[in-house]
Amino acid sequence: MMPNSHYPFSQSWIPKIIKKRVCTTFVEDSFSNGALCQCGGVRETHGSVATGDYFGAAIVSQWDSSQHSSEYPTDAFGELEFAGAGRRHSHFLRLSCDTPPQIVYTLMTAHWGLPSPNLVVSVVGGEGREKVKTWVRDVLRNGLVRAAQSTGAWILTGGLREGVGRCVGEAVRDHGAAAPALSQNKVIAVGVAPWGLVHNRQQLVNAQGSFPARYYVQNTSRDSCCLDNNYQAFLLVDDGSVGRRGGETAFRANLEDYISHQRTGIWGSGSIEIPVLCMLISGEANMLERLDVSLRKSTPWLVLAGSGPAADFIGELLAVLSSVPLSPASSISDGETPEGPITELRERALDKIRKHFPAETDPEKLVDSALSIFQNRDLITVFHGEQEGPDDFDTVLLKALVRASKRVSTDASEYTEELKLAVAWNRVDIAKTELFNGDIQWKYDDLEDSMTDALINDKPQFVRLFCENGLNILDYLTYRRLEDLYRSLSDSTLAYNLLQRRLNERQGLAASMPHLDGAMPGSLLDSPQSPITGSSLVSRLLWDLLGDVCQPFYYGPLGLSHSTSTRRALKQVNKLLLGDCPYRDQRCLSPWASLFIWAVLQNRSDMAVYFWEMAGESVLSALSGCKMLRELSKLESETETKLSMKELAQRFENLAHDVFGECYQSSESRSFTLLIRKSPVWGGATCLQMATAADARVFFSHDGVQSLLSQIWWGDMDRSTEVWKLVLTFFIPPLVYTDLINFRSQEEEVKSLEVHHGRDTDSLDGSFPSTSKHPFVVLRWRQFWFAPVTSFLGNVLMYFLFLCLFAYVLLVDFKPPPPDGPATLEFVLYFWVFTLVCEEIRQTFFVGSTTVLQRMKNYIQDVWNKCDLTAISLFSLALCCRMFPWSYEFGRAVMALDFMVFTLRLIHIFAIHKQLGPKIIIVGKMMKDVFFFLFFLAVWLMAYGVANQALLYAYDPRPGWIFRRVFYRPYLHIFGQIPIHEMDGEWLKCTNDTTLIEAGAEPCLSTYANWLVVILLVIYLLVTNILLVNLLIAMFSYTFSKVQENSDTHWKFQRYNLIVEYHSRPCLAPPFLIISHIHLFFKRFVRGIPSVKIKHFVLELRGRKASRLNTWEAIQKENFLSAQNKRQRESDTARLKRTSVKVDSVLKQMSEIRDHDRRLRVLEAELEYCCGALSWMVDALSQSNLIRASRPPPLLRGNSSFSPW
């Protein structure tokens, strides 16, 4: 909307196009004794008078606006300020009744800034001083205005402070006060009133326009013809009359008809014609003609039966005449009276007209209008407000529009506009009952635009409805449409900002390419296909969120290899975008997964859950959604959005846990395969890998996951084997061939191989795998030494031996620099550390399938790997320093510190223990609490230490002593080491000579402020020993209780990481590890033999095996969802909801029963009267001699008899 100062210039064209009407011919009004014209004006304001003939009779007896008035430039337009109303300005315009409606509509939307309507409700009737019923007020307030807000509708009324117009204005005012300040859909009330009827209209007259015009309203509670200050715009229709009603009727009907043919694009890609609904409240006999003309233009009507004469007449007319069939081809306008059913219809209609309009002089004319109205009864919806209530009035509005459009044909194309309207209002219940009830055969083309609308505007119920009624998602989702969906992201969302950041990177790379020299950035910005939409941008964003767990998405359609570097991929994409991009017309290979990712990136919970239900690989999909949401929550700055992302992430983790639980109960072996199967949809990721990346501790706590980990951990050995047996066998290897350790039987080995190699005898392969062909001696040896538990035990025992050797060398056998040292054991220690370095190199560069840079990044992210790097770095520094005499002591000190680091590494080893594992997590959490405690302690420490030093020592420039007295001594005060003699000034050897003090002598204490030192010490000890220490204890207690509640969950997650680490390690422990490294080098790089152990955690299935596993997983998911829905239906909330619906249905039936009871009483009274009359006639005829009966009159059988009296 333009500023007010611009209005005189921007609207100066209005008087040139829009006119007013002025009566120019005086036609005498016989009721005013010649003082007034039939237009309502006095004689003096007219330029001419209608003449008479020779006999004195007036030639013109009926005033007509088109003949007796002339058009002039309008002199009333602009803005309207209601004096004392205290609200924003309204727009107004005086216009001729013949003004084209398209000019007025363009003025309202383009110049006045009114938003284009999604619906227009024109309220007619209820004008004048007629009192509005209470229930009609409730319908207008709680029904109409609320529906207008939810749909973005315009409400057209008379706009005056009388009747229904005043009620609508008050409802709009109350709604505006209660609605949010930033509400997207404002209620737009437009008043269409006759200019000659407006009170104080001269205040609006200004030939140049009023910006604003001050309008004074009578401060009275009674109805008046003043403009209502609660309307946003006024169209003051001028037909040349003064004080007469009805002059605006024709223009209002034309405006309604024009708007109904306009289209709006507010609902995304599917623009629809604006629906217009007329609402009849009360009304007089002349309203029937208005209703008939509007129905002939196919405008639907909603009639409030019980509100007044015309509305009551229409309601009863449709109810009474519905029992008599009337052909649509029948015509009653030719002046002839049809025979048969038409005659009966006319008689019934005439009776109703005489009942509701007893003062009407020409009822036959109204009968023709009534029958014409009845012919278009499909366009009329009768609303019984006293029975139905205003609660679901928006439903009534939509049903009226939908039912009005229904015809005999079942072609779905006739209902697409109504479907788009239902989508825009988000009323899936009405769409199900009116549009998807089986009567209409929907096709893909009919649902395509509405599907896009529902997706963009987050309406998952409609998406579900469309997919269940003919929309094939495989045909719908192409890469072009997927990019269009990403283009629809709001610029306020986090995903939009992240994609924009990636777009800027791509543009910067394109600008640096010399062969594209400036063309690429422009095409990226100007092309409607590229900004924030490219599949490459989405792929980069998913790579940032999911990390190296998945291979890059959408590389296949783009023609990129997964091994392509990021920079090279960006260059290829920039070249691709310069062409026709043929990949955009291809079908999306995994449509449900792509839509799931799109919904998750926007944090749309209901939509994402629905797409998860439809997508395959439900466990992995839920874990992937959990991972993306948790990464997005770390980047989100808004607290509320961050919280909702975390809640949705936890919801997906719970879904993954529950669905896997269903799978584990169905088949243990298949569920194990499910955990380690590589997914082609999710870039080769497995459930275990994704759960680790998503920090899904609840998922890892499931018994099925832990069972697989235990099976991998123990290998082919029995899980119940005691630790002492393992230790004894470790030191005496021949015991492996005895019965000391139990190994699994042949059947269990087969089952294990099924799990490891992805074979299932029932569903995946159907045949038993062959067992190992190794001899028993070799097989039993491999079964023991290749188990991760053996590797772990060996590493623990050898690590303890390593620490003992390290301590012995450091304490006993640490020789001087060469040539006197090092000793032999120290060389053994160096070799041992060298083997540890070799293992760290193997873990860094030879574990994983990603690039070397990504492997290094993954390695350094682990806390314990950082600890290893620190220990090795310190050992290398100490080794170098101890070789030279000048740095020998420094090297020995560094070696001592390094021993502490190596010893702390034991904490990670103990993480496998069920009792110690959670305690290690608690210690780690408490370390964070200690840092906060040290911050507060440092504040008080420095404050007290500086003040204490300044008060006790007048001059002491020695930095070392200052540091000790400011920081060290106050810290020791906390533990009770308080030097009382210093505060008392007792110091024997001291001096006040500054020269001696600077030379190193002890300065004397100042006794001037000893009392203040004592007070500060008391305060310091009070705060530190009582306040801060107890605060630290409270923080520790909270951390302990919080972690202890989920200690089992934390331990199981930590256990997985340790199992993966030792599963990938060679079977020999340092320092014998070098033998395994040499063996692996020749086996992998010389002989080219692939690893078998990697299949324990990563398994690739193809073809029928993968299809059967996906089908089995989908069945388990359906079982879980069915059980979940059953629990929801049986919940107390669902039962209360169903009970509420039943109660509402009973109440409606009771109201119908009361209505039937009232009708039965009326019928009983009429029947009693008829029986009495017949009895009287029988008595009269029996006593008369006119008729001779051959038999006596029949007698009434029964105990009761009817009597005329």
Side-chain angles (χ1 to χ4, degrees):
M1 192 179 298
M2 298 181 180
N4 294 348
S5 59
H6 293 176
Y7 277 127
F9 304 98
S10 62
Q11 298 189 17
S12 59
W13 54 270
I14 291 180
K16 302 177 183 178
I17 298 179
I18 299 178
K19 308 298 181 181
K20 66 176 181 179
R21 276 198 173 272
V22 178
C23 181
T24 56
T25 303
F26 182 85
V27 179
E28 180 180 335
D29 186 2
S30 59
F31 296 99
S32 63
N33 297 324
L36 298 177
C37 174
Q38 291 185 14
C39 72
V42 297
R43 182 184 292 269
E44 289 76 9
T45 59
H46 295 72
S48 61
V49 180
T51 58
D53 57 7
Y54 298 105
F55 303 100
I59 297 177
V60 180
S61 60
Q62 185 67 32
W63 183 83
D64 184 78
S65 174
S66 59
Q67 297 179 7
H68 303 134
S69 63
S70 302
E71 290 187 344
Y72 298 92
T74 183
D75 57 358
F77 62 93
E79 288 188 340
L80 191 61
E81 178 185 2
F82 291 88
R87 67 180 303 275
R88 62 183 180 84
H89 298 168
S90 302
H91 304 278
F92 75 98
L93 174 67
R94 178 185 181 183
L95 67 159
S96 171
C97 58
D98 297 330
T99 304
Q102 59 267 28
I103 297 177
V104 179
Y105 182 75
T106 303
L107 173 68
M108 297 171 69
T109 55
H111 296 273
W112 287 358
L114 299 182
S116 299
N118 299 337
L119 167 69
V120 174
V121 180
S122 181
V123 183
V124 297
E127 301 171 348
R129 304 298 175 88
E130 180 181 358
K131 184 177 180 181
V132 181
K133 296 182 179 180
T134 304
W135 69 268
V136 175
R137 291 177 179 269
D138 294 337
V139 168
L140 296 176
R141 181 184 302 274
N142 301 325
L144 176 61
V145 176
R146 186 182 63 181
Q149 191 277 334
S150 63
T151 58
W154 285 6
I155 302 178
L156 301 184
T157 69
L160 302 179
R161 299 188 64 182
E162 62 174 11
V164 173
R166 181 168 186 168
C167 295
V168 172
E170 293 174 350
V172 170
R173 177 198 62 200
D174 297 340
H175 176 272
L182 300 178
S183 178
Q184 296 294 325
N185 293 329
K186 300 290 185 181
V187 179
I188 305 298
V190 180
V192 183
W195 166 261
L197 193 64
V198 177
H199 184 69
N200 293 337
R201 57 185 176 275
Q202 294 302 321
Q203 299 175 7
L204 310 178
V205 175
N206 187 346
Q208 286 75 34
S210 302
F211 302 95
R214 293 185 60 84
Y215 184 75
Y216 294 91
V217 181
Q218 294 179 352
N219 188 13
T220 176
S221 59
R222 295 182 299 176
D223 290 345
S224 64
C225 291
C226 297
L227 297 178
D228 195 312
N229 61 339
N230 297 304
Y231 284 72
Q232 282 78 6
F234 296 95
L235 300 178
L236 308 178
V237 183
D238 190 3
D239 66 342
S241 63
V242 179
R244 305 294 173 91
R245 298 181 183 273
E248 81 288 358
T249 303
F251 170 79
R252 184 170 173 178
N254 293 333
L255 179 63
E256 295 165 359
D257 182 65
Y258 174 78
I259 295 178
S260 66
H261 292 86
Q262 302 307 302
R263 305 186 72 85
T264 175
I266 193 171
W267 299 309
S269 59
S271 59
I272 69 172
E273 289 187 352
I274 302 174
V276 176
L277 177 68
C278 294
M279 181 176 173
L280 177 60
I281 299 177
S282 187
E284 300 298 334
N286 56 359
M287 192 57 64
L288 299 183
E289 182 180 358
R290 163 86 162 87
L291 179 61
D292 184 24
V293 173
S294 181
L295 290 175
R296 292 177 186 270
K297 297 180 180 180
S298 299
T299 301
W301 280 72
L302 178 63
V303 177
L304 265 64
S307 59
D312 297 348
F313 169 73
I314 296 298
E316 295 186 12
L317 179 75
L318 298 182
V320 172
L321 301 190
S322 296
S323 59
V324 181
L326 177 64
S327 174
S330 302
S331 175
I332 48 91
S333 59
D334 54 0
E336 299 179 1
T337 303
E339 299 295 334
I342 300 299
T343 303
E344 183 178 356
L345 288 177
R346 294 185 65 89
E347 292 178 353
R348 294 189 179 185
L350 184 60
D351 293 339
K352 296 299 179 182
I353 290 174
R354 290 171 177 172
K355 174 183 177 182
H356 292 281
F357 309 110
E360 186 62 33
T361 57
D362 188 8
E364 290 295 334
K365 182 179 180 181
L366 295 182
V367 170
D368 296 338
S369 298
L371 295 182
S372 179
I373 291 171
F374 180 71
Q375 284 183 319
N376 296 294
R377 57 190 178 275
D378 292 337
L379 295 171
I380 301 175
T381 301
V382 179
F383 177 73
H384 300 276
E386 290 181 305
Q387 301 176 6
E388 300 181 31
D391 294 336
D392 297 326
F393 194 76
D394 51 351
T395 306
V396 176
L397 292 180
L398 184 56
K399 284 186 176 181
L401 293 171
V402 173
R403 288 174 54 191
S405 64
K406 282 196 172 183
R407 295 295 182 268
V408 178
S409 173
T410 59
D411 188 4
S413 61
E414 297 185 9
Y415 306 99
T416 54
E417 304 299 325
E418 284 68 32
L419 176 60
K420 294 174 183 177
L421 186 63
V423 173
W425 291 4
N426 199 21
R427 295 308 301 265
V428 69
D429 53 341
I430 301 176
K432 288 181 179 180
T433 56
E434 300 293 336
L435 300 175
F436 292 92
N437 53 7
D439 297 338
I440 305 173
Q441 301 298 324
W442 292 99
K443 300 178 182 178
Y444 168 77
D445 296 336
D446 302 322
L447 302 177
E448 185 177 6
D449 293 340
S450 297
M451 178 69 171
T452 304
D453 184 10
L455 286 172
I456 294 176
N457 293 294
D458 192 18
K459 296 167 182 175
Q461 292 180 332
F462 273 100
V463 175
R464 184 189 298 269
L465 185 65
F466 295 152
C467 294
E468 293 174 352
N469 289 273
L471 189 139
N472 188 351
I473 197 66
L474 294 175
D475 297 331
Y476 172 79
L477 194 66
T478 61
Y479 287 103
R480 183 184 303 277
R481 180 164 280 118
L482 181 62
E483 294 180 356
D484 291 341
L485 292 177
Y486 278 102
R487 188 186 301 119
S488 68
L489 294 179
S490 173
D491 56 1
S492 61
T493 59
L494 176 62
Y496 177 90
N497 296 328
L498 295 177
L499 288 173
Q500 181 66 50
R501 191 180 306 167
R502 294 303 170 195
L503 176 63
N504 295 337
E505 293 179 2
R506 194 175 73 186
Q507 291 176 350
L509 180 62
S512 64
M513 297 173 65
H515 58 282
L516 296 178
D517 194 21
M520 196 63 201
S523 64
L524 283 172
L525 291 172
D526 301 335
S527 173
Q529 302 292 343
S530 54
I532 316 298
T533 62
S535 299
S536 61
L537 297 179
V538 181
S539 177
R540 288 284 298 136
L541 176 58
L542 295 178
W543 177 265
D544 295 337
L545 296 178
L546 297 175
D548 64 328
V549 178
C550 304
Q551 295 175 350
F553 285 76
Y554 308 123
Y555 267 31
L558 294 173
L560 302 175
S561 174
H562 293 297
S563 60
T564 307
S565 63
T566 303
R567 185 174 181 85
R568 182 176 299 177
L570 288 177
K571 291 182 179 180
Q572 295 183 12
V573 169
N574 288 338
K575 294 179 182 179
L576 180 64
L577 290 177
L578 292 176
D580 298 332
C581 301
Y583 79 92
R584 299 184 191 273
D585 296 327
Q586 299 177 9
R587 292 181 179 180
C588 190
L589 298 179
S590 303
W592 292 116
S594 299
L595 290 175
F596 172 72
I597 294 173
W598 174 79
V600 166
L601 291 178
Q602 299 181 83
N603 193 29
R604 295 182 172 181
S605 58
D606 295 337
M607 189 81 77
V609 170
Y610 170 67
F611 290 145
W612 171 81
E613 293 177 359
M614 301 302 296
E617 303 181 6
S618 55
V619 177
L620 182 56
S621 298
L623 292 173
S624 302
C626 176
K627 166 65 175 174
M628 288 187 288
L629 286 166
R630 284 177 175 164
E631 292 297 328
L632 289 172
S633 65
K634 298 176 183 177
L635 303 174
E636 182 60 54
S637 57
E638 297 183 5
T639 305
E640 185 176 353
T641 306
K642 180 191 292 288
L643 182 61
S644 64
M645 286 181 176
K646 291 182 179 179
E647 291 177 352
L648 184 57
Q650 188 60 48
R651 182 179 180 183
F652 277 123
E653 183 180 353
N654 295 335
L655 287 174
H657 177 274
D658 296 339
V659 173
F660 179 75
E662 194 77 22
C663 296
Y664 183 67
Q665 292 180 0
S666 175
S667 173
E668 179 180 355
S669 59
R670 293 186 203 176
S671 63
F672 289 170
T673 307
L674 186 67
L675 291 175
I676 61 178
R677 182 267 316 264
K678 291 181 63 175
S679 168
V681 177
W682 291 97
T686 67
C687 292
L688 291 180
Q689 292 174 347
M690 190 64 71
T692 306
D695 195 22
R697 300 175 184 268
V698 175
F699 179 78
F700 271 106
S701 65
H702 193 278
D703 293 339
V705 179
Q706 293 301 310
S707 179
L708 174 63
L709 295 179
S710 298
Q711 182 171 316
I712 296 175
W713 177 250
W714 285 96
D716 293 330
M717 290 184 289
D718 194 345
R719 301 181 192 180
S720 60
T721 304
E722 290 83 354
V723 176
W724 68 269
K725 294 182 180 180
L726 293 176
V727 175
L728 185 60
T729 308
F730 184 82
F731 288 103
I732 309 177
L735 292 177
V736 73
Y737 300 107
T738 65
D739 295 333
L740 181 64
I741 297 178
N742 295 325
F743 291 86
R744 284 182 291 175
S745 61
Q746 183 70 20
E747 291 76 8
E748 291 178 341
E749 291 178 6
V750 170
K751 185 177 180 182
S752 175
L753 289 174
E754 291 171 7
V755 175
H756 293 169
H757 295 277
R759 297 177 180 175
D760 190 287
T761 57
D762 296 332
S763 63
L764 297 182
D765 193 36
S767 61
F768 285 92
S770 60
T771 58
S772 177
K773 297 180 180 180
H774 294 289
F776 172 77
V777 176
V778 178
L779 178 62
R780 184 56 56 89
W781 183 268
R782 292 171 60 90
Q783 286 177 336
F784 176 77
W785 289 103
F786 282 21
V789 64
T790 308
S791 177
F792 171 76
L793 181 61
N795 278 272
V796 171
L797 295 176
M798 298 307 294
Y799 197 80
F800 274 108
L801 185 59
F802 165 74
L803 292 179
C804 293
L805 175 63
F806 200 160
Y808 177 80
V809 170
L810 188 62
L811 298 176
V812 178
D813 203 17
F814 199 78
K815 300 296 183 180
D820 298 332
T824 304
L825 290 179
E826 191 171 350
F827 279 111
V828 174
L829 178 65
Y830 295 163
F831 177 75
W832 203 315
V833 174
F834 171 73
T835 60
L836 294 177
V837 173
C838 293
E839 175 60 20
E840 298 301 322
I841 293 175
R842 187 195 66 84
Q843 293 181 16
T844 305
F845 298 101
F846 299 100
V847 174
S849 59
T850 56
T851 61
V852 175
L853 186 62
Q854 190 65 33
R855 293 175 188 174
M856 295 176 61
K857 182 179 178 182
N858 295 338
Y859 175 83
I860 203 68
Q861 286 177 349
D862 187 79
V863 176
W864 295 109
N865 287 337
K866 295 178 182 177
C867 181
D868 292 337
L869 287 179
T870 304
I872 293 172
S873 301
L874 289 177
F875 191 88
S876 301
L877 178 62
L879 176 61
C880 295
C881 293
R882 68 98 55 222
M883 294 299 176
F884 303 98
W886 55 272
S887 59
Y888 171 78
E889 294 297 336
F890 177 75
R892 191 172 186 276
V894 173
M895 191 75 74
L897 294 177
D898 192 34
F899 178 80
M900 293 181 59
V901 178
F902 273 112
T903 306
L904 291 176
R905 190 65 171 79
L906 284 172
I907 297 177
H908 177 54
I909 297 177
F910 294 143
I912 194 67
H913 196 271
K914 188 172 184 180
Q915 302 299 328
L916 294 179
K919 302 302 184 293
I920 296 174
I921 299 175
I922 293 174
V923 172
K925 300 279 187 183
M926 288 182 176
M927 290 300 296
K928 299 180 181 179
D929 298 337
V930 170
F931 283 114
F932 288 106
F933 168 78
L934 291 178
F935 170 75
F936 290 110
L937 180 61
V939 173
W940 281 96
L941 199 71
M942 178 176 290
Y944 169 74
V946 173
N948 183 71
Q949 173 72 7
L951 292 174
L952 289 178
Y953 297 93
Y955 179 73
D956 188 0
R958 297 173 296 177
W961 283 93
I962 291 177
F963 180 81
R964 291 178 62 184
R965 289 168 179 161
V966 170
F967 295 101
Y968 180 62
R969 286 190 178 182
Y971 180 73
L972 294 180
H973 290 176
I974 301 176
F975 303 99
Q977 296 185 11
I978 303 174
I980 302 298
H981 62 279
E982 292 188 4
M983 292 182 291
D984 295 337
E986 298 179 359
W987 197 270
L988 299 179
K989 297 180 181 181
C990 64
T991 181
N992 289 323
D993 190 350
T994 58
T995 304
L996 295 176
I997 293 175
E998 292 176 357
E1002 182 68 23
C1004 292
L1005 297 174
S1006 174
T1007 58
Y1008 173 74
N1010 284 0
W1011 60 273
L1012 185 58
V1013 174
V1014 175
I1015 295 176
L1016 293 179
L1017 177 62
V1018 171
I1019 296 175
Y1020 171 71
L1021 294 178
L1022 179 67
V1023 173
T1024 55
N1025 284 18
I1026 298 178
L1027 180 62
L1028 293 183
V1029 172
N1030 282 280
L1031 174 63
L1032 180 63
I1033 295 173
M1035 295 169 64
F1036 283 171
S1037 300
Y1038 173 75
T1039 302
F1040 180 84
S1041 60
K1042 184 178 180 180
V1043 177
Q1044 189 67 22
E1045 292 176 357
N1046 304 312
S1047 60
D1048 187 66
T1049 302
H1050 289 291
W1051 169 74
K1052 289 178 179 178
F1053 180 74
Q1054 198 175 43
R1055 177 173 179 257
Y1056 165 77
N1057 296 323
L1058 194 67
I1059 291 176
V1060 171
E1061 178 183 348
Y1062 283 95
H1063 176 269
S1064 63
R1065 284 195 174 192
C1067 57
L1068 296 180
F1072 309 105
L1073 185 69
I1074 192 67
I1075 301 175
S1076 296
H1077 286 167
I1078 297 173
H1079 172 71
L1080 288 175
F1081 177 79
F1082 281 97
K1083 186 176 181 179
R1084 299 285 180 268
F1085 298 100
V1086 178
R1087 300 177 61 188
I1089 300 176
S1091 174
V1092 179
K1093 293 177 67 176
I1094 193 175
K1095 293 184 179 180
H1096 295 173
F1097 281 101
V1098 178
L1099 178 66
E1100 186 172 359
L1101 294 180
R1102 297 181 182 274
R1104 189 178 62 176
K1105 297 179 182 179
S1107 177
R1108 288 182 176 180
L1109 184 64
N1110 291 333
T1111 302
W1112 171 76
E1113 183 184 9
I1115 293 173
Q1116 305 311 315
K1117 179 184 64 177
E1118 293 297 330
N1119 295 337
F1120 163 74
L1121 293 176
S1122 299
Q1124 187 182 53
N1125 293 333
K1126 183 178 180 180
R1127 288 193 300 268
Q1128 291 178 353
R1129 289 193 301 267
E1130 295 177 353
S1131 63
D1132 295 338
T1133 303
R1135 291 181 178 179
L1136 287 175
K1137 187 175 180 179
R1138 292 194 298 268
T1139 304
S1140 176
V1141 172
K1142 293 179 180 179
V1143 170
D1144 292 340
S1145 176
V1146 170
L1147 290 177
K1148 289 183 179 180
Q1149 293 178 1
M1150 290 296 294
S1151 62
E1152 294 177 358
I1153 291 174
R1154 287 194 296 267
D1155 183 61
H1156 291 324
D1157 182 65
R1158 179 183 58 82
R1159 294 182 181 181
L1160 287 175
R1161 290 181 181 179
V1162 173
L1163 183 61
E1164 184 177 316
E1166 293 178 353
L1167 183 61
E1168 184 177 355
Y1169 170 78
C1170 293
C1171 291
L1174 289 175
S1175 177
W1176 178 82
M1177 293 173 62
V1178 169
D1179 292 341
L1181 290 175
S1182 63
Q1183 298 176 5
S1184 173
N1185 297 325
L1186 296 177
I1187 299 176
R1188 297 293 182 179
S1190 60
R1191 57 185 178 85
L1195 299 176
L1196 180 64
R1197 298 180 180 180
N1199 297 329
S1200 60
S1201 61
F1202 290 100
S1203 175
W1205 301 280

